[in-house]
Amino acid sequence: MTCIAVSIKHSALAADTRCSADGVMFEVSKAKRVGKGVVGVAGDWDDILRFWEVIDGKPHKESGLSDDSELEGIELHPDGIFLYAASGKRYAIKDQFFAIGSGAPYAIGAMAMGATPQEAVALAARFDPATGGPIEVIPLKATNASSINRKRR
């Protein structure tokens, strides 16, 4: 699936870029700025594309998403960390760091030991075969027009 990690302390979101279809792997961006926050989405790529349409204003009923769509979203926002359900509903969590996707357990463990989100996603990529490719890091506060850092691990 993927790994997307966020940390309030490090004020950043990090996401792997691996995607696969029919046994072929390629790279995609799984996160972007939305309002004052940074949002990342993990799951089925078709569902992710529908989710972005909802985030961008398309009515949920017209998106083709259902409550059982295979996706989960995470947002780092000045007000904290929020998770998204497949329905598009957003809810706050109280954690200071969190991760979603198949690599999430590795990333959460790494951040519990002090790793940055980028380091946490890199660790997840070592152990989770569905996490990989360059890691994109998006700081909560944009520093310039192109504030997405893309690094090969």
Side-chain angles (χ1 to χ4, degrees):
M1 192 200 280
T2 199
C3 185
I4 302 172
V6 301
S7 166
I8 291 172
K9 175 183 175 183
H10 298 100
S11 192
L13 175 149
D16 77 312
T17 54
R18 178 171 288 167
C19 190
S20 64
D22 299 324
V24 177
M25 286 187 265
F26 50 95
E27 296 174 10
V28 298
S29 291
K30 301 174 184 178
K32 67 179 185 176
R33 292 189 180 287
V34 176
K36 294 181 181 177
V38 182
V39 177
V41 188
D44 177 81
W45 190 244
D46 286 339
D47 288 338
I48 290 171
L49 294 175
R50 291 181 189 105
F51 176 83
W52 288 130
E53 289 178 346
V54 171
I55 292 297
D56 290 337
K58 186 173 190 173
H60 187 271
K61 290 179 182 181
E62 296 175 19
S63 71
L65 277 177
S66 66
D67 287 347
D68 61 345
S69 292
E70 294 183 38
L71 71 87
E72 52 188 331
I74 189 166
E75 178 180 10
L76 180 62
H77 188 274
D79 295 333
I81 298 173
F82 297 83
L83 297 179
Y84 285 90
S87 65
K89 291 181 179 153
R90 176 182 183 252
Y91 55 98
I93 63 171
K94 295 185 179 196
D95 300 70
Q96 295 297 298
F97 56 84
F98 202 72
I100 60 170
S102 55
Y106 304 108
I108 291 170
M111 288 188 292
M113 298 301 293
T116 67
Q118 180 179 351
E119 292 166 338
V121 173
L123 178 80
R126 280 189 61 203
F127 299 102
D128 175 32
T131 298
I135 298 169
E136 292 185 343
V137 179
I138 307 174
L140 182 57
K141 294 186 180 179
T143 55
N144 58 38
S146 178
S147 60
I148 297 176
N149 250 337
R150 197 174 166 117
K151 299 186 178 179
R152 294 236 175 237
R153 29 173 203 92

